[in-house]
Amino acid sequence: MEDIRAILQITMRRFGMLNKNCCSVEDFDISQVQSHILYELARSKGPSMQQVAETIGMDITTFSRQIQTLVKLELVEKRQSAEDKRMYHLYLTEKGKHLEDGINQQMLHYLGNVFLNLSEKESTDVVESLKILNAAMSKSNMCCKPYY
């Protein structure tokens, strides 16, 4: 069997997962974690802080610090729930939507460039293999289980 860990390590490095900042759009340098938060907020309608923290597999204390930073950067708006004053919902600001769209465009361009080096069958195989890997990871009791 091939060294799967080595393959995954190289993949993570090539995706820039070890870089302090993963994305730069205009004057913003965004960390990998912040990029994940913006991605989730762009695909949800006012999720609670707890929901997003669970989705990305982060403890609420660390997540809360990240949200404070994103609020200070005016990328995220935090609103108290009308039904439960202990709960807060998160929304992208217009600036946050613009930034997330820029990150999304960068990633689509990057992935499009990567997939140009594959045949149509290889592209399909890679996507299907990633789906299978993600499904297996979600069933493992040894790794994070984001709610996808």
Side-chain angles (χ1 to χ4, degrees):
M1 184 170 191
E2 287 193 55
D3 187 350
I4 296 169
R5 181 174 180 202
I7 294 167
L8 289 174
Q9 294 284 81
I10 291 166
T11 302
M12 294 302 134
R13 284 194 293 258
R14 288 194 173 138
F15 259 113
M17 299 276 189
L18 301 179
N19 299 351
K20 181 180 177 202
N21 294 321
C22 78
C23 318
S24 292
V25 176
E26 296 171 8
D27 294 337
F28 290 97
D29 288 328
I30 299 298
S31 72
Q32 196 76 38
V33 170
Q34 292 166 339
S35 174
H36 280 272
I37 293 169
L38 296 175
Y39 177 87
E40 291 304 325
L41 295 182
R43 281 136 193 86
S44 305
K45 300 280 189 250
S48 71
M49 287 185 56
Q50 189 67 40
Q51 287 170 319
V52 181
E54 287 175 4
T55 297
I56 63 174
M58 182 179 283
D59 71 272
I60 194 67
T61 305
T62 305
F63 180 78
S64 187
R65 283 193 298 271
Q66 292 293 331
I67 292 301
Q68 285 175 345
T69 300
L70 293 170
V71 168
K72 285 179 189 169
L73 292 171
E74 299 177 350
L75 301 173
V76 171
E77 184 180 345
K78 184 174 147 183
R79 295 184 208 154
Q80 193 172 36
S81 172
E83 299 85 40
D84 184 346
K85 301 292 183 199
R86 298 169 297 170
M87 188 183 308
Y88 286 87
H89 294 275
L90 303 171
Y91 302 87
L92 289 180
T93 62
E94 285 306 312
K95 192 187 289 188
K97 289 176 189 174
H98 177 73
L99 181 66
E100 204 288 321
D101 185 55
I103 294 168
N104 194 44
Q105 292 305 314
Q106 285 180 7
M107 288 305 299
L108 289 174
H109 178 74
Y110 173 71
L111 291 170
N113 184 274
V114 168
F115 275 73
L116 281 175
N117 298 300
L118 301 173
S119 70
E120 192 172 327
K121 181 183 180 335
E122 288 171 328
S123 294
T124 301
D125 289 349
V126 167
V127 171
E128 288 305 312
S129 295
L130 288 171
K131 287 178 182 177
I132 291 167
L133 180 61
N134 278 324
M137 289 173 78
S138 73
K139 294 174 187 169
S140 171
N141 63 357
M142 296 183 72
C143 54
C144 297
K145 294 186 179 185
Y147 302 102
Y148 285 51

